[in-house]
Amino acid sequence: MTIKELNERFEFRTIRPEEAEQAVMIEQICFPPNEACSEAMMRERVEAVPDLFLAAVDRETGKIAGFLNGIATNEEIFRDEFFTDAGLHDPEGENVMLLGLDVLPQYRGQGLAREIVRQYKRRELQRGRKVLILTCLSSKTEMYEKMGFHNKGVSGSSWGGEQWYEMTCRFTADI
Ligand SMILES: CC(C)(COP(=O)(O)OP(=O)(O)OC[C@H]1O[C@@H](n2cnc3c(N)ncnc32)[C@H](O)[C@@H]1OP(=O)(O)O)[C@@H](O)C(=O)NCCC(=O)NCCS
Protein backbone atom coordinates (compact mmCIF):
# COMPACT_ATOMS: atom_id res chain seq x y z
CA MET A 1 0.00 0.00 0.00
CA THR A 2 1.11 3.55 -0.61
CA ILE A 3 1.65 5.96 2.28
CA LYS A 4 -1.61 7.67 1.33
CA GLU A 5 -3.55 4.38 1.34
CA LEU A 6 -2.04 3.36 4.67
CA ASN A 7 -3.10 6.66 6.21
CA GLU A 8 -6.60 6.29 4.80
CA ARG A 9 -6.94 2.81 6.29
CA PHE A 10 -5.17 3.45 9.61
CA GLU A 11 -5.08 6.21 12.17
CA PHE A 12 -1.58 6.68 13.59
CA ARG A 13 -1.56 7.97 17.17
CA THR A 14 -0.40 7.40 20.75
CA ILE A 15 -2.00 4.60 22.73
CA ARG A 16 -4.93 5.08 25.12
CA PRO A 17 -5.12 3.57 28.64
CA GLU A 18 -8.09 1.39 27.69
CA GLU A 19 -6.03 -0.15 24.86
CA ALA A 20 -3.48 -1.79 27.18
CA GLU A 21 -5.35 -5.09 26.88
CA GLN A 22 -4.95 -5.03 23.08
CA ALA A 23 -1.24 -4.24 23.34
CA VAL A 24 -0.74 -7.21 25.68
CA MET A 25 -2.60 -9.53 23.32
CA ILE A 26 -0.77 -8.31 20.20
CA GLU A 27 2.63 -8.70 21.91
CA GLN A 28 1.74 -12.31 22.79
CA ILE A 29 0.72 -13.03 19.21
CA CYS A 30 3.83 -11.39 17.72
CA PHE A 31 6.58 -12.71 19.98
CA PRO A 32 7.43 -16.11 21.50
CA PRO A 33 7.14 -16.23 25.32
CA ASN A 34 10.89 -15.77 25.94
CA GLU A 35 10.99 -12.57 23.86
CA ALA A 36 7.58 -11.03 24.60
CA CYS A 37 7.09 -8.24 27.07
CA SER A 38 5.11 -9.58 30.05
CA GLU A 39 1.52 -8.54 30.58
CA ALA A 40 2.37 -6.56 33.74
CA MET A 41 5.24 -4.77 32.02
CA MET A 42 3.18 -3.85 28.97
CA ARG A 43 0.43 -2.45 31.19
CA GLU A 44 3.00 -0.43 33.10
CA ARG A 45 4.48 0.93 29.85
CA VAL A 46 1.08 1.94 28.46
CA GLU A 47 0.26 3.66 31.74
CA ALA A 48 3.63 5.37 32.25
CA VAL A 49 4.79 6.16 28.72
CA PRO A 50 1.81 6.31 26.30
CA ASP A 51 3.46 9.17 24.39
CA LEU A 52 6.26 6.90 23.23
CA PHE A 53 3.82 4.47 21.63
CA LEU A 54 2.75 4.87 18.05
CA ALA A 55 -0.27 2.71 17.31
CA ALA A 56 -1.80 2.08 13.88
CA VAL A 57 -5.54 1.78 14.43
CA ASP A 58 -7.73 0.17 11.78
CA ARG A 59 -10.33 2.87 11.06
CA GLU A 60 -12.92 0.22 10.18
CA THR A 61 -12.71 -1.83 13.40
CA GLY A 62 -11.32 0.80 15.77
CA LYS A 63 -8.75 -1.79 16.90
CA ILE A 64 -4.97 -1.66 16.92
CA ALA A 65 -3.33 -3.42 13.96
CA GLY A 66 0.26 -2.74 14.99
CA PHE A 67 2.39 -0.54 17.18
CA LEU A 68 5.89 0.55 18.08
CA ASN A 69 6.88 1.54 21.59
CA GLY A 70 9.92 2.81 23.40
CA ILE A 71 11.22 4.94 26.24
CA ALA A 72 13.34 8.08 26.14
CA THR A 73 16.72 8.36 27.84
CA ASN A 74 20.07 10.08 27.62
CA GLU A 75 21.79 6.71 27.67
CA GLU A 76 23.28 5.55 24.37
CA ILE A 77 23.63 1.81 24.77
CA PHE A 78 20.78 -0.63 25.03
CA ARG A 79 20.48 -2.64 28.24
CA ASP A 80 17.80 -5.17 29.17
CA GLU A 81 16.49 -3.08 32.08
CA PHE A 82 14.81 -0.83 29.51
CA PHE A 83 12.51 -3.77 28.78
CA THR A 84 11.56 -4.29 32.42
CA ASP A 85 11.63 -0.85 34.04
CA ALA A 86 9.42 1.85 32.52
CA GLY A 87 10.65 4.04 35.39
CA LEU A 88 13.85 4.56 33.38
CA HIS A 89 11.87 6.79 31.02
CA ASP A 90 13.18 10.35 30.98
CA PRO A 91 10.74 12.58 29.03
CA GLU A 92 13.59 14.96 28.21
CA GLY A 93 15.90 12.16 27.04
CA GLU A 94 17.64 12.76 23.71
CA ASN A 95 17.46 9.13 22.62
CA VAL A 96 14.71 6.55 22.34
CA MET A 97 15.24 2.90 23.20
CA LEU A 98 12.73 1.04 21.03
CA LEU A 99 11.19 -1.90 22.85
CA GLY A 100 9.03 -3.59 20.26
CA LEU A 101 7.58 -3.39 16.77
CA ASP A 102 4.44 -5.48 16.39
CA VAL A 103 2.11 -5.95 13.44
CA LEU A 104 -0.73 -8.47 13.68
CA PRO A 105 -0.35 -11.31 11.12
CA GLN A 106 -3.43 -10.30 9.11
CA TYR A 107 -1.97 -6.83 8.51
CA ARG A 108 1.56 -7.87 7.50
CA GLY A 109 3.25 -7.54 4.12
CA GLN A 110 1.59 -4.23 3.20
CA GLY A 111 4.18 -1.78 4.44
CA LEU A 112 2.50 -1.08 7.78
CA ALA A 113 5.63 -1.65 9.91
CA ARG A 114 7.60 0.59 7.57
CA GLU A 115 4.99 3.36 7.86
CA ILE A 116 4.84 3.06 11.68
CA VAL A 117 8.64 3.43 11.84
CA ARG A 118 8.60 6.32 9.35
CA GLN A 119 6.02 8.26 11.35
CA TYR A 120 7.73 7.43 14.64
CA LYS A 121 11.00 8.85 13.33
CA ARG A 122 9.35 12.06 12.18
CA ARG A 123 7.53 12.52 15.48
CA GLU A 124 10.59 11.93 17.64
CA LEU A 125 12.75 14.17 15.44
CA GLN A 126 10.19 16.93 16.04
CA ARG A 127 10.43 16.23 19.76
CA GLY A 128 14.14 16.92 19.58
CA ARG A 129 15.47 13.39 19.89
CA LYS A 130 18.83 12.49 18.41
CA VAL A 131 19.02 8.71 18.08
CA LEU A 132 16.66 5.72 17.97
CA ILE A 133 18.21 2.54 19.33
CA LEU A 134 16.89 -1.03 19.20
CA THR A 135 18.00 -4.61 19.39
CA CYS A 136 16.86 -7.33 17.01
CA LEU A 137 17.65 -10.87 15.92
CA SER A 138 19.98 -11.38 12.96
CA SER A 139 16.97 -12.25 10.78
CA LYS A 140 15.64 -8.70 11.18
CA THR A 141 18.79 -6.60 10.71
CA GLU A 142 18.16 -6.28 6.98
CA MET A 143 14.62 -5.11 7.54
CA TYR A 144 15.77 -2.36 9.89
CA GLU A 145 18.59 -1.37 7.52
CA LYS A 146 15.91 -0.78 4.87
CA MET A 147 14.16 1.45 7.42
CA GLY A 148 17.27 3.60 7.90
CA PHE A 149 19.01 1.90 10.85
CA HIS A 150 22.70 0.98 11.03
CA ASN A 151 23.90 -2.34 12.41
CA LYS A 152 26.32 -1.75 15.29
CA GLY A 153 27.03 -5.46 15.76
CA VAL A 154 26.30 -7.88 18.59
CA SER A 155 24.59 -6.23 21.55
CA GLY A 156 25.32 -6.83 25.24
CA SER A 157 21.64 -7.81 25.62
CA SER A 158 20.85 -11.44 26.40
CA TRP A 159 17.08 -10.95 26.51
CA GLY A 160 15.22 -14.27 26.21
CA GLY A 161 18.53 -16.15 25.94
CA GLU A 162 19.01 -14.95 22.35
CA GLN A 163 21.84 -13.15 20.56
CA TRP A 164 20.81 -9.61 19.62
CA TYR A 165 22.18 -7.00 17.27
CA GLU A 166 22.12 -3.34 18.19
CA MET A 167 20.73 -1.07 15.51
CA THR A 168 20.72 2.72 15.62
CA CYS A 169 19.13 5.46 13.57
CA ARG A 170 20.73 8.87 14.09
CA PHE A 171 18.50 11.71 12.94
CA THR A 172 19.48 14.06 10.23
CA ALA A 173 17.35 17.03 9.29
CA ASP A 174 16.04 15.41 6.09
CA ILE A 175 13.97 12.56 7.60
C1 LIG B 1 8.43 -7.80 11.52
C2 LIG B 1 7.06 -7.16 11.34
C3 LIG B 1 6.91 -5.99 12.30
C4 LIG B 1 6.95 -6.66 9.90
O1 LIG B 1 5.68 -6.03 9.72
P1 LIG B 1 5.10 -5.74 8.24
O2 LIG B 1 4.04 -4.71 8.37
O3 LIG B 1 4.73 -7.00 7.59
O4 LIG B 1 6.38 -5.14 7.52
P2 LIG B 1 6.37 -4.24 6.18
O5 LIG B 1 5.32 -4.76 5.26
O6 LIG B 1 6.29 -2.81 6.54
O7 LIG B 1 7.80 -4.56 5.59
C5 LIG B 1 8.87 -3.62 5.58
C6 LIG B 1 10.10 -4.26 4.97
O8 LIG B 1 10.64 -5.22 5.89
C7 LIG B 1 10.73 -6.51 5.29
N1 LIG B 1 10.27 -7.51 6.25
C8 LIG B 1 9.02 -7.62 6.75
N2 LIG B 1 8.92 -8.65 7.61
C9 LIG B 1 10.15 -9.21 7.67
C10 LIG B 1 10.69 -10.31 8.38
N3 LIG B 1 9.91 -11.06 9.20
N4 LIG B 1 11.97 -10.62 8.18
C11 LIG B 1 12.75 -9.88 7.34
N5 LIG B 1 12.29 -8.82 6.63
C12 LIG B 1 11.02 -8.48 6.79
C13 LIG B 1 9.78 -6.48 4.12
O9 LIG B 1 10.22 -7.34 3.10
C14 LIG B 1 9.78 -5.04 3.70
O10 LIG B 1 10.84 -4.78 2.81
P3 LIG B 1 10.52 -4.30 1.31
O11 LIG B 1 9.89 -2.94 1.47
O12 LIG B 1 11.85 -4.28 0.64
O13 LIG B 1 9.56 -5.30 0.76
C15 LIG B 1 5.93 -8.19 11.60
O14 LIG B 1 6.14 -9.31 10.78
C16 LIG B 1 5.86 -8.66 13.04
O15 LIG B 1 5.18 -8.05 13.89
N6 LIG B 1 6.57 -9.76 13.36
C17 LIG B 1 6.62 -10.30 14.70
C18 LIG B 1 7.35 -9.39 15.67
C19 LIG B 1 8.73 -8.97 15.18
O16 LIG B 1 9.52 -9.78 14.75
N7 LIG B 1 9.02 -7.67 15.27
C20 LIG B 1 10.27 -7.07 14.82
C21 LIG B 1 11.41 -7.40 15.66
S1 LIG B 1 11.53 -6.31 17.05
Side-chain angles (χ1 to χ4, degrees):
M1 278 200 244
T2 64
I3 290 177
K4 184 166 177 280
E5 286 166 344
L6 285 163
N7 282 273
E8 280 165 4
R9 176 142 192 226
F10 301 100
E11 179 191 2
F12 294 84
R13 58 162 170 78
T14 55
I15 200 161
R16 297 176 181 155
E18 65 272 21
E19 291 170 331
E21 191 83 42
Q22 288 183 61
V24 167
M25 189 199 69
I26 294 170
E27 180 83 359
Q28 285 168 4
I29 291 170
C30 287
F31 290 97
N34 63 321
E35 291 177 28
C37 170
S38 72
E39 172 165 1
M41 203 40 244
M42 185 61 84
R43 287 183 186 282
E44 190 189 327
R45 255 184 234 167
V46 172
E47 162 109 24
V49 205
D51 283 4
L52 271 287
F53 274 77
L54 183 65
V57 180
D58 186 328
R59 294 185 192 274
E60 216 170 86
T61 64
K63 300 271 191 238
I64 297 177
F67 66 91
L68 174 61
N69 73 106
I71 60 179
T73 174
N74 282 319
E75 291 186 40
E76 291 181 351
I77 295 176
F78 198 97
R79 54 188 175 103
D80 287 344
E81 289 75 14
F82 288 115
F83 281 129
T84 53
D85 186 0
L88 290 173
H89 175 60
D90 170 4
E92 305 301 320
E94 287 194 336
N95 306 321
V96 177
M97 299 291 167
L98 294 174
L99 302 174
L101 175 61
D102 303 42
V103 171
L104 279 170
Q106 61 268 38
Y107 292 103
R108 288 180 192 166
Q110 305 171 78
L112 184 54
R114 178 191 288 279
E115 179 61 9
I116 291 172
V117 171
R118 191 185 72 85
Q119 292 204 20
Y120 200 99
K121 290 196 314 193
R122 287 171 73 102
R123 187 183 72 186
E124 296 309 315
L125 175 67
Q126 280 167 8
R127 289 175 172 172
R129 315 278 189 217
K130 302 275 192 307
V131 191
L132 298 184
I133 300 160
L134 62 83
T135 54
C136 69
L137 298 173
S138 60
S139 58
K140 298 289 182 338
T141 55
E142 213 175 297
M143 177 181 86
Y144 285 115
E145 278 166 355
K146 284 185 201 163
M147 295 178 182
F149 287 76
H150 297 282
N151 188 347
K152 309 288 265 190
V154 174
S155 151
S157 170
S158 57
W159 185 253
E162 306 275 359
Q163 184 175 72
W164 299 93
Y165 288 80
E166 183 159 311
M167 311 283 300
T168 64
C169 175
R170 188 169 288 277
F171 290 145
T172 51
D174 59 354
I175 279 174

